[in-house]
Amino acid sequence: AISNASNLVKRGSASLDRIEEILAAEETITNKPNPVILKEFNKSIEFRNVSFRYKEEYVLHNINLIIEKGKTVALVGPSGGGKSTLADLIPRFYDVMEGEVLIDGINVKDCEMHSMRSLMGIVTQESLLFNDTIKNNIAFGMPDKTEEEIIQAARTANAMEFIEQTVDGFETNIGERGSKLSGGQRQRISIARAVLKNPDILILDEATSSLDTSSERQVQDALENLM
Ligand code: ADP
Ligand code: MG
């Protein structure tokens, strides 16, 4: 027992070092003093002379783009072309080197981040799911939503059929990162989450690219319902 315990302590302390490294990492993207609180999205998202690089080489050069409210804009281009990077600049996951990203004419660097991001729903290739029930994964971050709203969101996302087939329905635990579900099912849970949030700005980054044709069709239909 003693040798086992010493083993556990060693493992724990190694993990602690790694966790501390993350907790202590410096936050480079922060709210400026007296940020603007965004309550709604009214006009447009604008990229004005935006250039961005991760390291030395520029990924985006002098991008100018206006996306008006109500419009659907698709970015098409080769892998590594910078599509995800451009999308990531809208919720300010990175700060631009030159130029500005504006929401309704306000620089995202001047916006209060939580209020700005709460206007957005994001569905990517990798769905961010947690070791919890289907219901809690759909309502993640939205504790005030009712059962009825959650069911409605699952229906819009084309997820109802497979949820009803599980033994515990909405109470089914989906495993670490949703490992007990298929790729298409995970995507539809993510879409249900976006539907429930009903955001003004919806960012989809290859939401269907890892799926087979029939799952893709279902997810595509779900996305159309959402929009
Ligand atoms: P796309 O989504 O169009 O395939 P990305 O925006 O993911 O393209 O990538 C654009 C370029 O930026 C690529 O050359 C890629 O290697 C680089 N890149 C993407 N993410 C990072 C990162 N976190 N750190 C460094 N370079 C990155
Ligand atoms: Mg990409």
Side-chain angles (χ1 to χ4, degrees):
I2 289 171
S3 68
N4 248 338
S6 121
N7 191 4
L8 283 174
V9 168
K10 288 235 164 62
R11 265 170 41 193
S13 82
S15 305
L16 183 64
D17 286 346
R18 292 205 301 269
I19 291 168
E20 268 186 343
E21 196 180 312
I22 290 170
L23 292 179
E26 200 186 334
E27 188 80 72
T28 53
I29 295 182
T30 51
N31 282 328
K32 66 167 222 177
N34 304 315
V36 181
I37 294 173
L38 290 188
K39 293 211 177 63
E40 48 190 14
F41 174 57
N42 292 311
K43 291 200 305 283
S44 64
I45 297 171
E46 179 176 357
F47 284 73
R48 198 180 284 168
N49 302 321
V50 168
S51 297
F52 177 82
R53 58 186 152 82
Y54 290 98
K55 299 197 178 88
E56 290 82 47
E57 237 182 289
Y58 275 91
V59 174
L60 302 175
H61 305 263
N62 202 22
I63 303 283
N64 283 286
L65 171 69
I66 296 177
I67 304 169
E68 280 161 28
K69 182 169 177 172
K71 290 260 164 69
T72 302
V73 173
L75 299 175
V76 183
S79 175
K83 306 178 296 293
S84 299
T85 304
L86 193 131
D88 284 348
L89 294 177
I90 300 172
R92 201 183 166 203
F93 291 155
Y94 301 99
D95 272 339
V96 297
M97 279 62 224
E98 290 150 40
E100 298 168 298
V101 178
L102 308 155
I103 296 178
D104 285 345
I106 304 166
N107 193 325
V108 290
K109 290 181 181 174
D110 298 332
C111 297
E112 198 276 317
M113 265 188 293
H114 185 264
S115 71
M116 182 246 305
R117 289 177 181 167
S118 67
L119 298 176
M120 302 175 189
I122 304 176
V123 181
T124 61
Q125 198 169 349
E126 266 301 307
S127 24
L128 287 171
L129 299 177
F130 302 94
N131 189 0
D132 203 340
T133 61
I134 290 179
K135 185 175 123 193
N136 288 344
N137 269 288
I138 295 177
F140 182 74
M142 297 171 279
D144 301 335
K145 298 289 181 184
T146 65
E147 193 105 352
E148 194 46 51
E149 289 172 308
I150 294 169
I151 292 171
Q152 193 52 46
R155 199 167 283 137
T156 308
N158 255 334
M160 214 48 198
E161 200 183 325
F162 81 81
I163 294 173
E164 276 170 344
Q165 277 168 10
T166 60
V167 182
D168 299 316
F170 280 88
E171 298 303 327
T172 306
N173 183 294
I174 62 171
E176 197 62 59
R177 291 168 185 246
S179 58
K180 293 181 197 162
L181 301 177
S182 76
Q185 292 170 341
R186 284 201 290 272
Q187 285 300 45
R188 281 176 277 158
I189 298 283
S190 300
I191 294 167
R193 186 189 286 162
V195 172
L196 188 62
K197 191 174 180 184
N198 192 19
D200 286 351
I201 300 170
L202 186 61
I203 300 173
L204 306 173
D205 190 356
E206 313 219 21
T208 61
S209 60
S210 64
L211 307 178
D212 60 77
T213 326
S214 80
S215 315
E216 177 169 6
R217 185 70 256 161
Q218 286 172 314
V219 172
Q220 204 72 51
D221 290 343
L223 291 171
E224 264 150 41
N225 290 342
L226 167 57
M227 288 194 272

